[in-house]
Amino acid sequence: MASAKAKLLQAQQTLQAAQDDLDNAELIAPITGTVGTVGLTKGGSSSSGSVTIVGSGNAQVSIELPLATRTLVKAGQQVTVIPAGSTTSLNGRITSISTVETSGTAGATPTYATVVTVSDPDGLLPSGGRASVTIPVAAATNTVRVPA
């Protein structure tokens, strides 16, 4: 009986400590901005959800890289991004390229999910917005251009 009471007391103390931790929990964003979306539910696991903060600074652009181009591009490579409806070019770098083809694109033209990080201090790339991405894949010097 004493053993059961001790286990109950220990469980109650553990529960109280967890409740205290929850009451004092604070979610702090690593950037300044506005909460765009919250994919969390009360009582749910935080590992299965996310919070999107919309702020100025860097933005991430997701693109699908075709197989034919995949071998010519590498992480760290510079790119140019032009937000939809803008004439302003933003500098970016390829942050990651998936090694696994995008689901549903198998066959002659598979694509690979690629993330580009762009310096966007003026917030020209809104969350969910569209952009044009230019990736240089070859360059030549000492060439002659022949008009068409």
Side-chain angles (χ1 to χ4, degrees):
M1 182 79 160
S3 173
K5 284 185 179 182
K7 285 183 182 179
L8 176 61
L9 179 60
Q10 183 180 14
Q12 288 172 332
Q13 290 172 338
T14 301
L15 176 62
Q16 186 59 51
Q19 187 62 50
D20 291 344
D21 287 345
L22 180 61
D23 291 343
N24 295 319
E26 191 174 23
L27 183 62
I28 300 173
I31 63 168
T32 301
T34 303
V35 175
T37 60
V38 178
L40 302 170
T41 57
K42 185 176 180 178
S45 171
S46 63
S47 64
S48 64
S50 65
V51 177
T52 301
I53 307 293
V54 180
S56 60
N58 287 341
Q60 288 190 330
V61 177
S62 299
I63 61 172
E64 292 295 323
L65 194 62
L67 176 61
T69 310
R70 169 67 183 91
T71 58
L72 303 172
V73 176
K74 62 183 185 282
Q77 187 171 339
Q78 287 191 325
V79 301
T80 302
V81 177
I82 300 176
S86 175
T87 56
T88 303
S89 295
L90 303 172
N91 295 320
R93 286 197 181 276
I94 295 176
T95 310
S96 67
I97 304 170
S98 176
T99 56
V100 178
E101 42 184 70
T102 303
S103 175
T105 64
T109 58
T111 61
Y112 298 83
T114 303
V115 177
V116 173
T117 300
V118 183
S119 177
D120 185 22
D122 297 325
L124 297 175
L125 288 166
S127 180
R130 295 189 176 270
S132 245
V133 178
T134 303
I135 305 171
V137 294
T141 58
N142 298 323
T143 60
V144 177
R145 182 174 183 260
V146 179

